[in-house]
């Protein structure tokens, strides 16, 4: 046996085999030859070599694992430092090193002992802060429930993490939220963010909505594309795979639809599909109508059905108003998008929505509710005019013989519009976009009588005698009313400052596009009863397009510079291209080659030539169908 010194007990785990088996104390002899117990019993004192080898192997494994952890730690620290020192890194990542959470100053043994815990907690807190994913999950807080932790796909579910968009720091997030509050949401206020709510609080309570706000406030095309793609991936995971239905998802979709410019940025616009998803969320949350008493559906026997039916039963007033704004915003956007894309039906107006509109109108605590309620009522009138025309066309699909809606009904819509305008408060009278929308609704009512691209002759429509339809004279009068409404709308647009254009929603830009397109149709309408020259004398379309392009170019300068990546600069180029081909279309009729010369028309303000896709744009100018907005956005791309 190994010598251990005189009369010393063997250390734990190093007793001889006999003492170990007998569980006795192993005391070495003074001469170092074995132990006292084996000498007294006359046994062969053999050391426990197997135990020693096991302990030695265990010590070697511990040392090896410490060395492996140290190597991994050094690699992670080097990687994080390289990211932190890059220009695109956020303040949250730099704070990890400034606070010493991961550093080189600790002793190696201390780093190895706590490496896994410290590094894991540091990176977890960093990811939570940098990505804005709270314990509530991407889906946010379910309607009617306090914030509770739930699983969420988050950013980690994205297929390629290396291509994720840059995440704003805390200070940048506050600036983004301030831009959204001051410049954007007031133009279509289906959402109210209290002034004392911070960006960090919004990240925690409504993370999907916050991501949508970050995506729409950027004027960079490249950034919008990246953030839009990420937002749709998160939405697909949350709404489709995980079947979540909550107010956070609904508001995020509406914000993205209203301010994303998605039709101009992606090859296949997704606004119609996103709106149908938003309408389904409204139905799942029972925001537009109560559950019928006699329910003949499979819902009552499905898990969670009773809980969904209780949503909104005992809402606080502010939460109730928040939901009403969301469902009304869904109606407005679905109405606009259904009119321009013809890929979906608008959301049906219900008595519960009428009650919500009255509640919003009477609410004085929110400064934007009055304006938003007025916008909803205007869009409801426009939707009724569109519905009347669609019903008439459905009953007689032949455009050359289809009579327009009843004259009395159109007069009733005009009377409601005048009544609404008479109820404007002094505050609303000063809102240019409200007055512009009034002119736009008037245009929609007049278009119901006779669309500018209709094949029906003006002088062969059925008369009023006995049929109740619009007569020839009234049809022509509606077209001149359209010209007047378009001129009034364009006058308001040209009076706006370039800086104010950045915050306008899809509602406003869709109005502008439709006014320009209908003006073109009326300026080129070939009918013996129509005076195209008089239209051009009232509103000079090429001159209007010049002014629109100039204003968009100024907007691009004020929002980051006139670069190719700037959204408004690209829109400016589209308007220039549109003007060029409008001029070539109208030149043979005017005979004014100096004014309508194509070569002059394609040159922008700064002298840069515009290279239009003539085949696409000429097809657009034919306007043979109602999908003109989709064709216009395709030309932009």
């Amino acid at each position: 046996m190994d010598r251990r010194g005189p009369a010393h007990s063997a250390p734990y785990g190093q007793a001889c085999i006999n003492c170990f088996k007998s569980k006795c104390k192993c005391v070495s002899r003074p001469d170092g030859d074995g132990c006292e117990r084996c000498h007294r019993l006359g046994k062969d004192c053999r050391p426990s070599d197997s135990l020693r080898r096991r302990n030695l192997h265990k010590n070697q494994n511990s040392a090896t694992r410490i060395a492996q952890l140290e190597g991994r730690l050094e690699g992670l620290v080097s990687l994080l430092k390289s990211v932190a020192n890059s220009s695109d890194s956020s303040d949250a990542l730099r704070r990890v090193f400034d606070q010493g959470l991961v550093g080189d100053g600790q002793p190696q043994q201390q780093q190895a002992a706590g490496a896994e815990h410290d590094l894991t907690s540091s990176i977890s807190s960093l990811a939570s802060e940098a990505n804005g994913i709270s314990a509530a999950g991407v889906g946010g807080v379910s309607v009617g429930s306090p914030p509770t932790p739930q699983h969420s796909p988050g950013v980690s579910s994205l297929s390629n993490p290396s291509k994720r968009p840059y995440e704003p720091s805390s200070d940048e997030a506050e600036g983004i939220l301030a831009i959204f509050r001051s410049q954007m949401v007031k133009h279509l206020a289906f959402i109210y963010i209290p002034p004392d709510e911070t960006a960090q609080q919004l990240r925690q309570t409504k993370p999907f909505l916050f991501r949508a706000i970050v995506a729409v406030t950027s004027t960079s095309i490249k950034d919008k594309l990246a953030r839009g793609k990420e937002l749709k991936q998160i939405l697909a995971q949350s709404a489709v795979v995980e079947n979540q239905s909550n107010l956070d998802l609904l508001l995020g979709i509406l914000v993205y639809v209203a301010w994303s410019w998605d039709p101009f940025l992606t090859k296949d616009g997704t606004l119609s599909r996103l709106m149908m998803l938003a309408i389904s969320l409204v139905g799942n949350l029972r925001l537009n109508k109560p559950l019928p008493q006699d329910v003949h559906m499979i819902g009552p026997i499905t898990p969670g059905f009773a809980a969904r039916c209780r949503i909104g039963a005992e809402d606080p007033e502010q939460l109730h108003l928040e939901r009403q704004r969301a469902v009304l915003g869904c109606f407005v956007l679905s109405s606009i998008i259904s009119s321009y894309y013809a890929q979906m039906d608008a959301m049906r107006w219900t008595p519960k929505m009428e009650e919500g509109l009255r509640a919003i109108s009477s609410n004085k605590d929110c400064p934007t509710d009055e304006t938003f309620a007025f916008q909803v009522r205007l869009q409801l009138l426009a939707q009724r005019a569109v519905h009347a025309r669609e019903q008439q066309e459905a009953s007689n699909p032949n455009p050359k013989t289809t009579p327009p809606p009843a004259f009395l009904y159109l007069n009733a819509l005009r009377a409601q519009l005048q009544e609404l305008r008479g109820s404007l408060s002094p505050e609303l009278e000063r809102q240019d976009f409200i007055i512009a929308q009034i002119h736009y609704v008037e245009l929609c009512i007049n278009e119901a009588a006779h669309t500018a691209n209709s094949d029906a002759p003006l002088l062969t429509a059925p008369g009023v005698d006995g049929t109740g339809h619009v007569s020839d004279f009234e049809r022509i009068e509606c077209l001149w009313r359209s010209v007047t409404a378009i001129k009034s709308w364009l006058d308001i647009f040209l009076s706006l400052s370039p800086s104010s254009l950045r915050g306008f929603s899809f509602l406003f830009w869709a109005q502008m596009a439709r006014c320009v397109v209908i003006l073109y149709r009326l300026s080129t309408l070939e009918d013996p009863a129509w005076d195209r020259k008089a239209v051009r004398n009232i509103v000079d379309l090429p001159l209007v397009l010049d002014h629109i392009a100039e204003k968009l170019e100024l907007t691009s300068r004020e929002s980051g510079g006139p670069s190719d990546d700037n959204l408004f600069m690209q829109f400016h180029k589209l308007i220039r291209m549109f003007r060029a081909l409008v001029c070539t279309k109208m030149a043979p009729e005017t005979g004014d080659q100096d004014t309508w010369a194509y070569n002059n028309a394609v040159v922008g303000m700064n002298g840069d030539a515009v290279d239009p896709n003539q085949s696409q744009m000429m097809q657009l100018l034919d306007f043979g169908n109602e999908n003109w907005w989709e064709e216009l956005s395709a030309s932009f791309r």
Side-chain angles (χ1 to χ4, degrees), residues 243-287:
N243 198 29
Q244 295 183 24
S245 296
N246 52 63
L247 200 59
D248 182 23
L249 288 177
L250 176 59
L251 290 175
I253 294 174
L254 297 181
V255 165
Y256 185 78
V257 168
W259 286 282
S260 68
W261 292 71
D262 187 80
F264 292 102
L265 302 180
T266 58
K267 182 178 180 180
D268 299 316
T270 57
L271 291 192
S272 296
R273 189 163 299 177
L274 290 174
M275 279 311 308
M276 287 189 284
L277 180 57
I279 293 175
S280 72
L281 290 176
V282 169
N284 289 341
L285 298 173
R286 314 303 307 178
L287 299 181

Side-chain angles (χ1 to χ4, degrees), residues 330-441:
C330 189
F331 165 78
V332 171
L333 290 173
S334 68
S335 174
I336 289 289
I337 291 173
S338 67
S339 299
Y340 296 127
Y341 292 105
Q343 297 172 344
M344 56 169 287
D345 293 329
M347 189 174 178
R348 188 169 63 88
W349 188 259
T350 64
K352 186 175 181 180
M353 294 164 64
E354 182 66 36
E355 294 176 5
L357 181 57
R358 286 197 295 267
I360 294 294
S361 303
S362 60
N363 181 41
K364 304 302 181 184
D365 295 334
C366 177
T368 57
D369 275 355
E370 180 186 11
T371 303
F372 177 58
F374 200 87
Q375 287 179 293
V376 175
R377 293 202 180 278
L378 287 175
Q379 188 56 41
L380 183 58
L381 272 181
Q383 181 60 34
R384 287 171 178 168
V386 172
H387 183 64
R389 190 184 73 183
E390 289 176 348
Q391 280 188 323
Q392 196 70 35
E393 292 174 351
S395 61
N396 189 348
N398 188 349
K400 294 185 178 181
T401 61
T402 299
F407 179 67
L408 293 178
Y409 183 72
L410 295 182
N411 277 343
L413 293 179
R414 291 193 185 99
Q416 294 177 35
L417 180 60
Q418 291 301 319
E419 183 180 357
L420 270 179
R421 182 158 193 174
S423 65
L424 279 174
S425 65
E427 178 65 25
L428 293 182
E429 285 279 6
R430 293 190 290 269
Q431 302 289 346
D432 291 331
F433 61 93
I434 290 293
I435 305 301
Q437 189 176 354
I438 291 176
H439 295 307
Y440 173 76
V441 174

